Amino acid sequence: MSDYAVLAGRSIRLTRRNLDAVITALVLPVMLMLVFVYFFGGAIETSTGTYVTYVAPGVLILCAGYGASMTATTVSNDMTNGIIDRFRSMDTHGTAVLTGHVAASVARNAVATAAVLAVAFAIGFRPHAGPAQWLAAIGILLLYITALSWLGAAAGLLAKSPEAAGGFTFGMLFLPYPSSAFVPIDTMPDWLHGFADNQPVTPVIESMRAVLLDQPAGNSPWQALAWCAGLLAVALPLCAALFRRRTG
């Protein structure tokens, strides 16, 4: 366990030193929320009253996607700069290296989530959740972040360079748009409904929105848990296999 703790601390320290990435991870979601609320919110009708109440859970998911996608770049950087060889010479367990990056991703996202929620409250976000509902929303978000972070670690192991790993960011930032994050799905073209309804972001957002606004959640929480479990079931063995292949 000491390996895991030390390498998680290392990844968090590396994150603190990369001020550009930290500032972007904090500022970008906040700016996007302000843009959607004040530029487009007046033209979008939702069932939640104010648009900020509708869009805040979606921005949290967008924030999670960006923060988790940074894992791909940091893992790829470790795989190409020689530090892994040094870790292996010290008999450090390979999964500890990757777990450290995932732990740093969760920590980054926790700070970014707090910043987004603070701004959301300041501009009118008013959830109706009690303590148990807040815990449920946080649990779903953390599980989604963890699943995406392991997927990002796999992308970093697949990429030949940190620049190539950065392409994973595009997918993570794009996926919330064809979902219920920013507009109701029934306002989208019919041909897009199938994808929007059956991708991981939509049930996660719908679950968070339901518990935070004290609305019926239907099957969304079970679907969200199934998607997160499925992503983890793919990402964890893939990371193990790719790490063994890259390190010989």
Side-chain angles (χ1 to χ4, degrees), residues 2-35:
S2 61
D3 284 353
Y4 290 87
V6 168
L7 290 173
R10 167 189 175 264
S11 296
I12 291 171
R13 287 192 296 274
L14 289 175
T15 295
R16 288 206 316 261
R17 293 169 188 168
N18 191 353
L19 289 180
D20 291 345
V22 171
I23 291 171
T24 301
L26 293 174
V27 172
L28 180 62
V30 170
M31 292 301 297
L32 284 173
M33 183 167 62
L34 294 176
V35 166

Side-chain angles (χ1 to χ4, degrees), residues 216-242:
N219 292 325
S220 293
W222 299 111
Q223 293 172 355
L225 292 175
W227 269 109
C228 291
L231 291 174
L232 284 171
V234 170
L236 288 172
L238 183 60
C239 281
L242 289 171

Side-chain angles (χ1 to χ4, degrees), residues 16-214:
R16 288 206 316 261
R17 293 169 188 168
N18 191 353
L19 289 180
D20 291 345
V22 171
I23 291 171
T24 301
L26 293 174
V27 172
L28 180 62
V30 170
M31 292 301 297
L32 284 173
M33 183 167 62
L34 294 176
V35 166
F36 274 99
V37 171
Y38 289 116
F39 290 6
F40 309 129
I44 300 174
E45 301 239 349
T46 67
S47 60
T48 59
T50 59
Y51 182 62
V52 64
T53 301
Y54 181 88
V55 80
V59 175
L60 290 177
I61 295 300
L62 184 68
C63 171
Y66 182 79
S69 69
M70 291 173 61
T71 308
T73 304
T74 56
V75 168
S76 180
N77 190 60
D78 270 1
M79 299 304 297
T80 55
N81 66 9
I83 190 66
I84 296 297
D85 293 333
R86 185 167 185 178
F87 287 150
R88 298 283 284 179
S89 70
M90 295 187 292
D91 198 28
T92 301
H93 201 285
T95 57
V97 178
L98 301 179
T99 301
H101 285 293
V102 172
S105 174
V106 173
R108 283 194 303 267
N109 275 285
V111 175
T113 296
V116 169
L117 280 175
V119 174
F121 275 108
I123 62 176
F125 178 51
R126 297 295 180 265
H128 308 294
Q133 291 165 309
W134 271 106
L135 286 175
I138 292 170
I140 292 170
L141 182 61
L142 286 177
L143 184 59
Y144 179 71
I145 290 169
T146 303
L148 279 192
S149 297
W150 277 109
L151 203 61
L157 291 168
L158 277 170
K160 299 301 183 184
S161 68
E163 292 76 15
F168 184 71
T169 304
F170 173 77
M172 291 300 97
L173 288 179
F174 173 76
L175 202 56
Y177 289 96
S179 75
S180 61
F182 304 112
V183 296
I185 291 176
D186 58 14
T187 64
M188 299 178 184
D190 292 342
W191 56 268
L192 193 53
H193 288 187
F195 178 78
D197 282 324
N198 298 286
Q199 58 130 316
V201 171
T202 294
V204 174
I205 290 173
E206 291 299 320
S207 300
M208 292 183 61
R209 190 174 284 141
V211 296
L212 289 176
L213 302 182
D214 196 20

